Amino acid sequence: MAKAIRNIERIKISEEDKRKRDLEEIEHALLKNKDAILESLQVMEYMQSRGVLAMMNGLLGQSDKVLDILVKTADRPETTNMLKNLLLMVGTLGVLDVKQLEPVILKVNSGIARVAEAKDTEEKTSYFDLVRSLKDPEINRALTFMLTFLKGMGQDTKEQERNTMEPHHQEHEKRKNRDLR
């Protein structure tokens, strides 16, 4: 029968072997991620050449002062108002239907291009010229477009509006709507 093992001796790895194994592991990781590392170094080089790294170094070195300035700036009413307006604008951009807006933008660009091509002249347009220009299909189409646009702008959109009222006005509107029911 075999004897029972009473002493277990652990294999001791020397510091030199451990260091060699760690270096091999690092080398393997570097080779595996070579492209990502090279691109990261290129980005760091761009940041260095543009002074971004120096700026970040300065910001981190003075982080307490910078944080204090940011907090004081964010605490001002105009900053709060700016953030509200920014969020409202971003929300509005999300509501716009770009497919419907594209033809309008193209027409505005076309009009701007014509104005840019036209030379500043001293020539005046008479009432007769205005009435005669209504026969021009392009002008007629533009006037019809503008009148349709103005009619759309005049349309009641109260029910489509998001809640953009001040908080005290919101409460007043809620109470008023409850009372009407």
Side-chain angles (χ1 to χ4, degrees):
M1 241 176 136
K3 292 184 182 178
I5 298 174
R6 298 188 190 263
N7 293 338
I8 298 175
E9 289 188 34
R10 302 198 184 268
I11 300 174
K12 294 182 181 176
I13 300 173
S14 70
E15 284 293 320
E16 188 176 314
D17 288 341
K18 187 175 189 293
R19 180 179 161 89
K20 186 177 178 183
R21 191 177 306 156
D22 289 346
L23 286 173
E24 286 173 359
E25 188 178 341
I26 290 171
E27 182 182 14
H28 176 71
L30 287 172
L31 290 173
K32 184 177 175 186
N33 298 301
K34 173 187 165 191
D35 293 336
I37 291 169
L38 290 175
E39 285 182 30
S40 299
L41 288 174
Q42 189 175 22
V43 168
M44 300 262 299
E45 184 180 335
Y46 290 144
M47 290 172 67
Q48 175 68 35
S49 67
R50 307 257 183 322
V52 174
L53 290 180
M55 182 182 67
M56 288 175 62
N57 227 355
L59 283 174
L60 292 173
Q62 300 292 320
S63 60
D64 291 341
K65 290 179 184 177
V66 171
L67 187 59
D68 185 49
I69 291 169
L70 283 174
V71 169
K72 285 179 181 174
T73 303
D75 196 31
R76 295 188 347 222
E78 52 269 11
T79 304
T80 305
N81 196 28
M82 179 204 56
L83 289 173
K84 283 181 190 177
N85 290 340
L86 181 66
L87 290 172
L88 181 62
M89 285 174 40
V90 169
T92 301
L93 288 175
V95 173
L96 290 177
D97 186 355
V98 178
K99 287 181 183 176
Q100 290 177 339
L101 191 60
E102 183 183 22
V104 175
I105 292 173
L106 291 173
K107 289 177 182 185
V108 169
N109 283 342
S110 177
I112 291 171
R114 284 215 180 166
V115 168
E117 289 173 5
K119 296 179 180 172
D120 290 333
T121 62
E122 296 294 323
E123 184 181 324
K124 294 186 179 184
T125 304
S126 68
Y127 292 115
F128 183 70
D129 290 335
L130 282 174
V131 173
R132 190 175 26 180
S133 68
L134 291 176
K135 291 183 179 181
D136 184 343
E138 289 178 342
I139 291 178
N140 197 300
R141 202 172 20 254
L143 282 173
T144 304
F145 171 78
M146 287 175 57
L147 290 172
T148 305
F149 178 75
L150 290 172
K151 192 171 187 175
M153 281 188 65
Q155 183 178 341
D156 184 22
T157 59
K158 189 132 183 110
E159 292 190 13
Q160 295 174 348
E161 289 179 15
R162 291 186 176 175
N163 193 1
T164 58
M165 289 186 260
E166 295 291 325
H168 60 280
H169 292 296
Q170 292 174 15
E171 287 300 320
H172 177 70
E173 285 292 318
K174 284 180 187 175
R175 275 190 245 117
K176 190 169 90 174
N177 288 337
R178 268 188 261 136
D179 293 342
L180 290 175
R181 289 182 200 162

